[in-house]
């Protein structure tokens, strides 16, 4: 062969290698420049974004703390503005009247208020009215007389009352030792707005860990610090701060970035100190990410280059294009190749294969089509004709007893039934003809059964433009009249609907019903010897599947003593114009 000899010559480089080398040089330059520019841009952007994210986290922490403090403020305002509670705390009551207000008004209100807060706290109410009973110790609320706190500094120094506004957050009495903080408000009589009378004090005491649960340094990153300062600048709560730094956390340190957010209503400040290394770590992640993307792009482009260099081989492209055409079903495409090497033999073989496969597919298609038509014709001829014998017997009986009117009606309906059944030998008929044929059959049976048979035809007018396989409703109605009687009366409902792109027939009765095993045996008989059970039903199911495909057919739903529902599903296919015209001629 000449080609191998040429490849052995010194300096010979195949076209595929030349393409690959030039492509690789281009890719290395492109990926390197793109990686450098992207890293420079993303590094600066990431540092800004990280600081913005940290500030957003601090804002969220502030909002979470504010939500909890506002919750306490809201509950305290409910008690503050509760006129009924205030009047009962003010009134001088003894005996049963005092017991009634304690049990029915004061205690329920305090208990409800303390439990309506979404976290643990203790409500202490101090009242001037000595007739109000003290209640302590309780889990969530306590009632004391004012004499217990008259000399306490937090009460003595409490500011003057401004209606609805005076309240303070402070660590009163044992709060500092127990790690708690209290919201303190007065209870006042507002009947005289010009002179607010103090009736007592409310103190909501909550653990600092509960109130500042969201103040968690881990949300900012390892090594971060979070502090909550009061209006005097003292640290109330800290997270992630070493003991040695609690007193002077604001000391200048270029290793940290400090972010502060104020809570105006409480006078607190949330201070976040984030190590600069966190931002550096994020920048390092960006660098790693950019390098990873560049490496990935390099490998992806390398593989793409290998594929492209091979793809440009002219001979392989011809074979691939023909094979793709064969795969898509175009068996007429051929390879025009000149030469006497192996590629010429492959081209001749592929061209011959295309011709052979095309001929074979046509042969198989015609065979399957003939088989399908034969099976449809056979199944059409196997429709159970027993009702004809029963109808003739009924006609004979009517003639014997001289019931000429019923006899005439039955004969007319029988003729109409068979005229619609024969239908010029066509398999597909309008749905209106199928409904008419089933109605003719029902009219025959109504003559036979009289008032014992009640039938409701529920047909949606939207189905009239569509066609169907003929004689798929009547056998199921006949099956109901044969096997479903549970007394001397039976009701049958025939419903036809267009649902989506399908036509649904439903035959519903209130008869005996069937157990699940019998339904399975009808649709899927366990053996050939038992296949006679439900033969007519399987016949219709097979006809539908042969005509429209395996996704359509018959489904049966039944319950013993409640009745049976049969569902027939076929695709919604509109009638052709000439079919509708012929049907109109037949009907006339």
């Amino acid at each position: 062969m000449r080609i191998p000899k040429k490849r052995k010559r010194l300096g010979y480089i195949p076209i595929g290698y030349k393409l690959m080398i030039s492509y690789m040089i281009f890719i290395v330059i492109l990926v390197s420049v793109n990686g450098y520019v992207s890293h420079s841009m993303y590094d600066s952007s990431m540092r800004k974004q990280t600081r913005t994210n940290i500030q957003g986290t601090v804002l969220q922490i502030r909002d979470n703390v504010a939500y909890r403090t506002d919750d306490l403020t809201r509950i305290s305002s409910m008690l503050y503005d509760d006129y009924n509670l205030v009047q009962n705390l003010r009134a001088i009551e003894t005996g049963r009247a005092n017991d009634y207000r304690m049990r029915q008004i004061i205690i329920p209100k305090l208990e409800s208020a303390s439990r309506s807060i979404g976290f643990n706290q203790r409500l202490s109410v101090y009242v001037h009215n000595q007739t109000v009973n003290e209640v302590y110790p309780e889990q969530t609320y306590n009632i004391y007389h004012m004499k217990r706190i008259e000399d306490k500094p937090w009460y003595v120094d409490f500011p003057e009352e401004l209606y609805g506004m005076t309240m303070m957050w402070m660590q009163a009495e044992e709060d500092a030792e127990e790690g708690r903080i209290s919201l303190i408000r007065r209870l006042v009589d507002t009947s005289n707005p010009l002179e607010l009378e103090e009736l007592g004090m409310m103190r909501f005491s909550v653990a600092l860990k509960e109130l500042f649960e969201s103040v968690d340094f881990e949300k900012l990153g390892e090594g971060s610090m979070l502090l909550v300062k009061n209006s005097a600048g003292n640290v109330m709560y800290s997270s992630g701060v070493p003991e040695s730094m609690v007193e002077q956390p604001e000391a200048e340190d270029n290793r940290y970035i400090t972010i502060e957010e104020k809570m105006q209503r409480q006078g607190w400040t949330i201070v976040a100190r984030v190590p600069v290394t966190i931002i550096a770590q994020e920048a390092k992640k960006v660098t790693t990410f950019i390098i990873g993307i560049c490496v990935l792009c390099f490998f992806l482009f390398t593989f793409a280059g290998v594929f492209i260099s091979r793809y440009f081989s002219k001979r392989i492209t011809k074979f691939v294009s023909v094979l793709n055409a064969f795969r898509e079903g175009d068996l007429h495409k051929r390879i025009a190749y000149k030469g006497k090497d192996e590629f010429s033999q492959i081209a001749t073989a592929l061209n011959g294969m295309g011709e052979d496969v095309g001929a074979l597919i046509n042969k198989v298609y015609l065979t399957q089509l003939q088989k399908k038509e034969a099976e449809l014709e056979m199944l059409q001829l196997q429709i159970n004709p027993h009702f004809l014998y029963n109808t003739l017997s009924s006609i004979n009986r009517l003639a014997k007893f001289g019931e000429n009117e019923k006899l005439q009606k039955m004969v007319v309906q029988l003729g109409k039934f068979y005229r619609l059944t024969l239908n010029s030998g066509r398999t597909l008929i309008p749905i209106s003809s199928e409904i008419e044929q089933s109605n003719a059959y029902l009219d025959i049976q109504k003559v036979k059964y009289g008032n014992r048979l009640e039938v409701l035809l529920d047909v949606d007018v939207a189905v009239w433009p569509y066609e169907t396989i003929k004689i798929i409703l009547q056998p199921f109605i006949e099956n109901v009249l044969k096997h479903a009687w549970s007394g001397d009366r039976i009701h049958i409902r025939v419903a036809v609907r267009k649902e989506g792109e399908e036509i649904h027939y439903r035959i519903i009765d209130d008869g005996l019903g069937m157990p699940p095993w019998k339904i399975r045996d009808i649709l899927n008989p366990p053996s050939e010897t038992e296949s006679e059970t439900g033969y007519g039903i399987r016949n219709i199911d097979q006809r539908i599947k042969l005509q429209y495909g395996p996704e359509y057919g018959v489904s049966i739903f039944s319950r013993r003593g409640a009745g049976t529902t049969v569902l027939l599903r076929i695709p919604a296919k509109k009638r052709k114009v000439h079919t509708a015209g012929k049907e109109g001629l037949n009907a006339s």
Side-chain angles (χ1 to χ4, degrees):
M1 298 294 293
R2 293 182 178 179
I3 294 178
K5 290 181 179 180
K6 288 183 179 180
R7 291 184 178 177
K8 288 181 180 179
R9 289 184 305 178
L10 185 63
Y12 175 79
I13 301 177
I15 185 64
Y17 292 142
K18 293 179 180 178
L19 289 172
M20 195 63 214
I21 292 171
S22 59
Y23 183 81
M24 289 299 299
I25 294 173
F26 173 77
I27 289 302
V28 168
I29 296 174
L30 177 63
V31 170
S32 300
V33 172
N34 182 66
Y36 176 79
V37 174
S38 299
H39 176 265
S40 301
M41 295 175 60
Y42 275 102
D43 182 73
S44 175
S45 176
M46 197 64 195
R47 289 178 182 273
K48 293 180 182 179
Q49 184 64 37
T50 302
R51 186 180 180 91
T52 302
N53 291 342
I54 293 172
Q55 191 161 12
T57 302
V58 176
L59 282 171
Q60 186 178 9
I61 292 173
R62 184 200 66 181
D63 293 340
N64 290 339
V65 174
Y67 175 81
R68 295 207 162 193
T69 58
D70 290 344
D71 198 21
L72 278 173
T73 303
R74 176 181 59 84
I75 298 302
S76 67
S77 297
M78 289 175 56
L79 297 176
Y80 185 92
D81 295 326
D82 193 330
Y83 181 79
N84 188 23
L85 174 63
V86 168
Q87 292 303 311
N88 277 276
L89 291 176
R90 186 174 185 276
I92 305 298
E93 302 284 356
T94 59
R96 292 184 178 179
N98 183 43
D99 290 340
Y100 175 82
R101 73 172 174 180
M102 292 298 297
R103 286 185 291 103
Q104 300 297 326
I105 300 174
I106 296 176
I107 290 178
K109 287 182 179 292
L110 297 182
E111 186 174 13
S112 174
S114 62
R115 291 182 177 178
S116 63
I117 300 174
F119 51 91
N120 296 326
Q121 50 80 40
R122 291 200 301 261
L123 169 60
S124 298
V125 176
Y126 303 87
V127 294
H128 287 286
N129 189 350
Q130 296 292 316
T131 65
V132 176
N133 297 337
E134 287 189 326
V135 179
Y136 66 92
E138 295 290 335
Q139 291 184 349
T140 57
Y141 68 93
N142 294 282
I143 303 175
Y144 302 101
H145 291 152
M146 287 292 295
K147 63 183 179 180
R148 293 179 178 270
I149 62 170
E150 287 177 346
D151 57 345
K152 301 292 183 182
W154 64 268
Y155 173 67
V156 174
D157 298 332
F158 202 80
E160 292 185 11
E161 183 68 17
L162 295 176
Y163 178 73
M165 298 177 61
T166 303
M167 64 184 76
M168 290 187 66
W169 285 91
M170 66 173 66
Q171 289 184 309
E173 299 186 20
E174 74 282 2
D175 282 346
E177 299 175 0
E178 295 181 0
R180 305 177 71 86
I181 191 169
S182 298
L183 171 65
I184 302 174
R185 296 187 70 171
R186 284 191 178 90
L187 282 166
V188 297
D189 184 2
T190 59
S191 57
N192 183 6
L194 299 178
E195 185 176 353
L196 299 174
E197 178 185 356
E198 179 186 285
L199 300 180
M201 302 292 291
M202 293 183 290
R203 176 185 165 202
F204 293 85
S205 178
V206 59
L208 291 171
K209 288 186 177 180
E210 287 274 345
L211 188 63
F212 302 121
E213 183 181 12
S214 60
V215 181
D216 186 358
F217 77 96
E218 292 183 354
K219 296 180 179 178
L220 301 178
E222 191 66 28
S224 301
M225 306 177 190
L226 273 172
L227 308 170
V228 181
K229 297 182 180 180
N230 58 21
S231 56
N234 299 321
V235 177
M236 300 165 48
Y237 184 80
S238 64
S239 174
V241 182
E243 292 293 329
S244 59
M245 297 184 63
V246 172
E247 295 299 326
Q248 296 295 331
E250 67 278 7
E252 289 295 330
D253 193 341
N254 55 11
R255 295 174 302 170
Y256 293 88
I257 297 174
T258 302
I259 299 174
E260 296 185 357
E261 289 294 337
K262 293 188 178 294
M263 300 179 64
Q264 300 293 341
R265 301 174 79 181
Q266 295 80 14
W268 301 339
T269 302
I270 296 178
V271 181
R273 303 191 71 206
V274 183
V276 176
T277 54
I278 289 182
I279 297 179
Q281 288 173 0
E282 294 297 328
K284 187 176 180 181
K285 290 180 182 178
V286 173
T287 302
T288 305
F289 177 77
I290 294 296
I291 293 174
I293 291 296
C294 290
V295 172
L296 180 62
C297 290
F298 178 82
F299 282 107
L300 288 177
F301 291 155
T302 299
F303 286 117
V306 172
F307 175 79
I308 293 172
S309 66
R310 291 179 179 177
Y311 181 80
F312 276 103
S313 176
K314 185 177 180 180
R315 297 172 180 177
I316 300 300
T317 302
K318 288 184 177 180
F319 295 122
V320 171
S321 63
V322 170
L323 289 173
N324 286 337
F326 286 178
R327 184 178 59 185
E328 295 172 0
D330 183 8
L331 299 175
H332 301 289
K333 194 167 184 179
R334 298 291 181 264
I335 299 176
Y337 187 86
K338 296 180 181 180
K340 297 182 179 180
D341 55 10
E342 291 81 3
F343 288 102
S344 176
Q345 297 177 22
I346 295 173
T348 303
L350 280 176
N351 291 337
M353 184 183 70
E355 293 176 0
D356 294 341
V357 171
L360 182 60
I361 288 176
N362 289 332
K363 183 177 179 180
V364 171
Y365 175 78
L366 291 174
T367 303
Q368 291 295 329
L369 186 61
Q370 292 171 356
K371 181 181 177 182
K372 177 181 176 181
E373 291 175 351
E375 288 179 351
L376 280 172
E377 185 177 355
M378 180 186 68
L379 291 173
Q380 190 71 31
L381 294 173
Q382 290 175 349
I383 296 174
N384 188 0
H386 288 174
F387 88 94
L388 176 60
Y389 171 79
N390 295 332
T391 304
L392 292 175
S393 297
S394 299
I395 290 173
N396 180 54
R397 187 167 56 254
L398 292 173
K400 189 174 182 179
F401 289 100
E403 298 186 30
N404 294 330
E405 185 176 348
K406 290 184 178 181
L407 173 62
Q408 181 183 7
K409 184 176 181 181
M410 185 173 284
V411 170
V412 170
Q413 295 300 331
L414 180 62
K416 181 179 180 181
F417 173 81
Y418 270 101
R419 175 177 61 82
L420 294 169
T421 300
L422 295 174
N423 199 45
S424 300
R426 292 196 300 274
T427 300
L428 299 176
I429 63 173
I431 290 180
S432 59
S433 297
E434 178 67 14
I435 301 299
E436 189 178 1
Q437 186 260 5
S438 300
N439 198 29
Y441 173 77
L442 285 168
D443 287 341
I444 294 172
Q445 300 306 318
K446 287 178 183 177
V447 174
K448 178 179 179 180
Y449 293 105
N451 294 331
R452 297 169 59 199
L453 172 62
E454 292 187 15
V455 180
L456 173 63
L457 286 176
D458 183 9
V459 183
D460 187 357
V461 295
V463 305
W464 293 132
Y466 299 92
E467 65 181 12
T468 180
I469 297 180
K470 68 179 180 180
I471 317 179
I472 58 175
L473 277 178
Q474 180 271 331
F476 286 99
I477 299 172
E478 181 180 359
N479 198 59
V480 172
L481 296 176
K482 278 186 179 181
H483 304 292
W485 292 88
S486 61
D488 61 347
R489 297 178 67 86
I490 193 165
H491 300 77
I492 302 174
R493 179 183 170 213
V494 179
V496 187
R497 294 282 187 276
K498 181 178 182 294
E499 299 187 12
E501 297 301 320
E502 295 181 354
I503 301 296
H504 288 189
Y505 297 91
R506 288 182 175 85
I507 302 94
I508 308 166
D509 68 73
D510 60 352
L512 287 172
M514 292 182 288
W517 63 263
K518 190 170 184 180
I519 296 175
R520 289 194 300 268
D521 289 349
I522 288 175
L523 295 176
N524 300 291
S527 64
E528 292 295 331
T529 57
E530 300 181 26
S531 61
E532 292 183 2
T533 302
Y535 178 78
I537 295 175
R538 288 195 301 278
N539 182 305
I540 295 174
D541 186 51
Q542 291 171 8
R543 289 171 57 211
I544 292 175
K545 285 180 167 55
L546 277 172
Q547 183 68 38
Y548 299 116
E551 64 270 27
Y552 302 100
V554 178
S555 302
I556 302 176
F557 311 92
S558 185
R559 185 177 178 184
R560 293 298 297 272
T564 301
T565 297
V566 177
L567 171 64
L568 287 77
R569 294 171 48 250
I570 65 171
K573 293 186 176 181
K574 289 192 175 183
R575 294 178 290 161
K576 296 181 181 179
V577 176
H578 70 274
T579 302
K582 290 181 181 179
E583 197 61 38
L585 292 173
N586 290 338
S588 62

